Amino acid sequence: MPNLIHRFIQAISGFCFWMVLVSGIWIFQESVVCAKDEYIILHTLQTGKGKVYEAIYSPDSRTIATLNNAHTIEFWSAKTGKRLKVIPTGRHKAITMKFHPRTDVLITGGMDNTIQIWDINTAQSQSVLRGHLSQVSALAISQKGDLLISGDKNGNILIWDLQSKTLQKNMGKSHTGVINSIAIHPNDKVFASGGKDKTIVIWSLPQRVPLHKLNKQLQDITELRFHPEGNILGSSSSDSTLILWNWKDGLFLNQIGDHKKAMTGFDFHHNGQYVVTASEDATIMIRSLPQGELVASLKSVEEPVVSVHFDASGKSIVAAFEKDVAKTWRLDKSSFLASLKGHTRPITSLDFSSNGKYLLSSSIDKTVNIWSMENKQLSRSYGTQNHTVQQARFAPDNLSFATAGADSTIGLWDSQSGNQLTLLRKHQGKVNAISYHPEGEVLLSGSSDKQWILWELKRKIPIKTKIAHTDQITSVMFSSKGTMFATGSADRTVKLWTFPEGEPIKIMKSHQQTITDLAFSHDDQLLASASQDTTITIWDISKPSQPQLKATLEGHQFIVTQIFFAKDDRSLISISRDKTTRLWDINSGELIRILSGEDTPLTSGAISPDGKLIAVSSLANEIILLTYPLNIVEFDEHKTEPQQLSSTPANEPALKVAMPQQRPAAEKSVVDSSDLMDADDEERPSGRSSLNVYAVMSDDRQEEINEGERLQQLLNRLMRQEKLCLNFNEIEEIAFKILKYVPDDQAAYHALIKTAILREDLKMVFLMAKLGSLGTFRSNRYTYAKQIEVTAFIDYWLNNIFDSSLARQGDKLILSITNCQKQNKNLEIPLILSRIGIPEEFLRKTLEIPRFLDHRDFNVLPDDEFLRRLAMEIKRSLSTNQPYPSGRQPTPPTTTSPMLLTGSFTLNLARLQLWGNSENVIFQVRESSGEWQTYKTDKDKISEMLLPAGQYYLRIGEQIRRAFILKPNGKAEITIDSTR
């Protein structure tokens, strides 16, 4: 079968083709467009700066755990991509982890030579297993969950009884060097170990004696896994290969893979037909077994990959990356039909003709295109000159179309010739949205001037106009029957109006940010609204004067740009700038499936009148045509429990190839076979009992998250008003509260920097900038500024204002500000800020643990007190992860903290040539009995700071350069160059 794939690809080489999975069969078909990948990027899990050691699915596949180089475990919803809980592992410094297959615990191995067992629900360590004398680098748990096998950095293997939490056997040194992977056979009677010494050892259980030693790979072993059928062992290596072994006889079977760099990990699909591999060459590949023919390469893989795993169903993949993120993909039936390219800049709107034969698109390239749906080709293209189109809509008779312009006008155009028929003028601002009445004689428009207008098209005059909202109108829509219309606004409200009277019916409030789109169901019983707050709300308007909230759809990670009901009104399609198109069950409010995932944000969409075709546009300037997946959507209003997954029989091939006959490109090949994935699990909700084990978030924490989100929305509104002096105290109070719940919120730090500037409190600016530089800006919640603007603002303060190299050059930095009384003030940078060193470990702990620091304690303090409080908090961070109580009151500015004995430490790396022309050099210091703390020099490669008195070691890179003693009020000056 794989050879057939290879021959078929050879046969059509040199032609443009596309590949679609239909009912489990791969169909290659000639087309005017090239392939679209059906492996859809779902979520990007932003874990913080630095390497992600591991990302794994829970046994029920509903939760993902990630472990990063800050040794912090984070839990995420596999369905929504939302972070659920964070567990800092403290001095344990976890570097490897495994879910227990049967209970709600996670087991980690750490740099402190111990194994810890964590209760997921309480985020507390249940037990600590001690026995290793070096870092625990590999873990494996038996299928029954009663046995744990661990390996360490020195090559030792220990076997543990998980029921009694006792050591069963210390097998001693089993490898030379670090053990990277351990795998237990599905029958729990054999296990394999491999590592730095390039050797794989097969061991018997319970005898614990070696059966075979396998030596064929040229570099260290990175991952070991037994095939689901149990007869094959797979091993990946830094030599870029995956080897399949007959482990019973110790025989080599096959070598798979053509990665260009080290293969860091792999996983077998549960049906045994496929393997996914990951590499440092920034690729993830899916291959068939046993020959290893390439099936697909995953998209959005731009950097080295650390690990990769299938979920239990085999329908999703999670990968950990070397920098900052984990990502998940959905392996799904493709809905892709064609890609239309013709615009040169982003597309602003799409609309199908009423007969479904044409698609209308508008773009900021000042063109309007009409596409033929019969041959998927550009039919006509018209320039709009200085009329930049915000939205374009076909008239019901398709003979003309209308455009909403940024120049405050509405254009009416002939569809055939492209000639402008007329220009409607009355709005005083940008026209954002338009909608034709179903009978075509009236056009509705909404504008940034806050008013809607009803236009009579025969006479081309306004017949009704109303200033309807307190902020700009962003969306308008006639109901399907034309008896009413709706308007949505940046004031976050949706309003329902009668037609033709234009009288208000009801105001609906459910969103926290600007309304982006509206949609009526075909029977006018439902009204849906989309928002920049990432949610979709559905209202029952069967009684328009008494609308009832039916459902809130949550799952998108960024602005929802377009929504529309499916033909049967039982599902809804949404388009989002999170790069996905999603299908929702209206009755349950649950996500049915993700129809497509693109590489760039999606800007607009439309559905054909027959409901069979979906068009979406992206910032890549192209239009994607998708087929509505009627064949896979099955609704059962009475079904409350999930259907059971059915496994693919081991002897039944799950992947077949159909050779298409010669036929027109528009025809489809119809073949009936089994799917690559299991039967019918379309992301429907499971029963409550199956969620309990991994329900890792307590009610209290959920309430905190909800409160944090509410405060974020409030801060965004205040910051958008740009009235800092008027809202000064409220902004400051809200920002402090946000950091209690969301300690890494970059926007809150940004707000506090601005208020501290007006307070003339540069010490507070300094601390908030340090923390804010490592924070996360949530673009899905904050629209008052772009992320790049906020980051640049904070970086400017750190890298220009607070860089002490300026003072050492003899420059005196004076800041000139205008306060809220419109007085010009000159502020000098406090001298103490050039002596404050804040370790990165303290900053990250503050950002990761809610309420670990009470930021209010540092507001408007004398210089000495600021130093004392900061030194006490840094010292406290070395010994605890305990947050402050939620009801704690801030320490008054008049309180004097205990004095901490310090000395002055100066490090001069100006002559060190190792970093070439780099400016800020990273270095570490630690007290003789403490942990390494990470700092960086100023731009001149010099650092001057106060440290608690004691005996210290200095490390640069991986090399310890000095030991030094710092006496109270004393000085330690160290200069290092490349010659020492």
Side-chain angles (χ1 to χ4, degrees), residues 931-963:
E931 302 287 340
W932 288 107
Q933 300 292 295
T934 306
Y935 303 86
K936 65 179 180 180
T937 67
D938 295 310
K939 290 181 180 179
D940 59 1
K941 297 183 184 177
I942 297 174
S943 177
E944 296 178 306
M945 59 183 179
L946 298 173
L947 288 175
Q951 182 176 340
Y952 286 90
Y953 295 97
L954 168 67
R955 183 166 72 181
I956 303 173
E958 295 299 319
Q959 185 177 358
I960 297 178
R961 292 297 190 109
R962 292 284 192 277

Side-chain angles (χ1 to χ4, degrees), residues 537-566:
T537 297
I538 300 176
W539 295 86
D540 182 337
I541 56 168
S542 53
K543 296 180 180 179
S545 61
Q546 299 176 343
Q548 300 295 316
L549 182 61
K550 181 178 177 66
T552 299
L553 312 182
E554 296 182 330
H556 279 296
Q557 296 176 299
F558 199 25
I559 296 168
V560 183
T561 53
Q562 200 93 46
I563 52 173
F564 29 85
F565 284 92

Side-chain angles (χ1 to χ4, degrees), residues 580-636:
T580 66
T581 304
R582 302 186 181 218
L583 180 66
W584 306 84
D585 182 338
I586 289 172
N587 289 324
S588 67
E590 290 293 328
L591 176 69
I592 299 171
R593 64 171 289 193
I594 293 182
L595 300 180
S596 73
E598 302 301 320
D599 290 324
T600 57
L602 303 181
T603 56
S604 61
I607 189 168
S608 61
D610 62 6
K612 295 180 180 180
L613 194 60
I614 299 168
V616 298
S617 64
S618 73
L619 288 179
N621 311 335
E622 67 175 334
I623 301 167
I624 310 300
L625 294 182
L626 307 170
T627 55
Y628 181 78
L630 294 173
N631 59 321
I632 68 159
V633 181
E634 297 178 358
F635 297 95
D636 186 346

Side-chain angles (χ1 to χ4, degrees), residues 47 51-56 64-68 95-98 223 225 306-309 318-321 326:
T47 65
K51 182 176 180 179
V52 183
Y53 288 138
E54 184 64 283
I56 57 176
I64 296 169
T66 59
L67 175 62
N68 58 37
I95 55 175
T96 185
M97 65 180 177
K98 287 285 187 294
E223 184 85 75
R225 287 186 178 276
V306 176
S307 72
V308 65
H309 300 285
V318 64
F321 287 78

Side-chain angles (χ1 to χ4, degrees), residues 585 588 634-643 680 684-685:
D585 182 338
S588 67
E634 297 178 358
F635 297 95
D636 186 346
E637 296 177 2
H638 305 292
K639 189 178 297 180
T640 57
E641 289 300 316
Q643 300 177 15
D680 55 3
R684 297 190 182 278

Side-chain angles (χ1 to χ4, degrees), residues 7 9 20 29 35 43 149 216 236 253 259 282 322 364 385 492 512 640 667 674 730 769 800 850 884 889 921 936 946:
R7 289 198 300 272
I9 293 175
V20 172
Q29 181 171 335
H43 304 300
I149 304 176
K216 192 170 181 66
S236 62
L253 294 178
H259 287 290
E322 197 168 86
I364 61 175
Q385 300 174 348
R492 308 187 301 281
Q512 304 300 320
T640 57
E667 280 191 54
S674 60
E730 188 177 4
N800 295 280
Y884 283 118
Q889 295 299 311
V921 181
K936 65 179 180 180
L946 298 173

Side-chain angles (χ1 to χ4, degrees), residues 155 189 311 795 937 956:
K189 294 182 179 179
D311 72 347
D795 287 347
T937 67
I956 303 173

